[in-house]
Amino acid sequence: MSFPVSAGLLDAMVLSVVEKEESYGYKITQELCTAVSVSESTLYPVLRRLQKSGMLETYDKAFQGRNRRYYKLTPDGHSTLEQYRKDWIVYRNNIENIIFTEGDF
């Protein structure tokens, strides 16, 4: 069984991956796939939206004769990620209070 990943959660996860290391789309997808099921066709619109909203910026870097588009966090991206993290703690605690009984974890 899996739980659906909301747009907000996916945004937070992408920003977190890019915060750790400036990266390109395929590598970001692979990192996300360690936790959730996401395809490149799902990820690229998210990257474009985050870029358009000023949370990510891009630069190209040559790799084996081709350019790769790398993504990096902007100052707005860092602030948004910090807010996502705070919101996540509250959300997670609220869900855990419903799902688990005292002593389960």
Side-chain angles (χ1 to χ4, degrees):
M1 175 179 197
S2 68
F3 298 97
V5 177
S6 69
L9 181 56
L10 189 55
D11 287 357
M13 293 175 72
V14 168
L15 294 173
S16 294
V17 167
V18 174
E19 179 191 48
K20 292 174 191 168
E21 177 183 20
E22 296 174 8
S23 195
Y24 53 94
Y26 178 76
K27 189 171 180 188
I28 295 168
T29 303
Q30 296 307 303
E31 179 76 20
L32 293 175
C33 281
T34 64
V36 296
S37 178
V38 64
S39 66
E40 285 182 80
S41 62
T42 300
L43 180 67
Y44 282 105
V46 172
L47 291 168
R48 282 192 296 277
R49 183 170 39 77
L50 291 172
Q51 182 183 3
K52 186 175 179 181
S53 65
M55 289 184 255
L56 292 177
E57 55 188 34
T58 63
Y59 61 93
D60 291 340
K61 190 174 177 182
F63 177 77
Q64 295 181 351
R66 299 179 66 195
N67 278 340
R68 270 190 181 155
R69 175 140 303 158
Y70 280 75
Y71 296 86
K72 70 180 200 172
L73 254 60
T74 64
D76 284 347
H78 281 286
S79 323
T80 300
L81 178 56
E82 286 308 310
Q83 187 59 51
Y84 276 134
R85 287 176 172 156
K86 290 174 186 172
D87 293 347
W88 175 255
I89 291 168
V90 171
Y91 178 79
R92 181 192 67 204
N93 289 339
N94 289 339
I95 298 297
E96 287 178 353
N97 286 335
I98 292 171
I99 293 178
F100 298 108
T101 59
E102 214 174 294
D104 281 349
F105 54 94

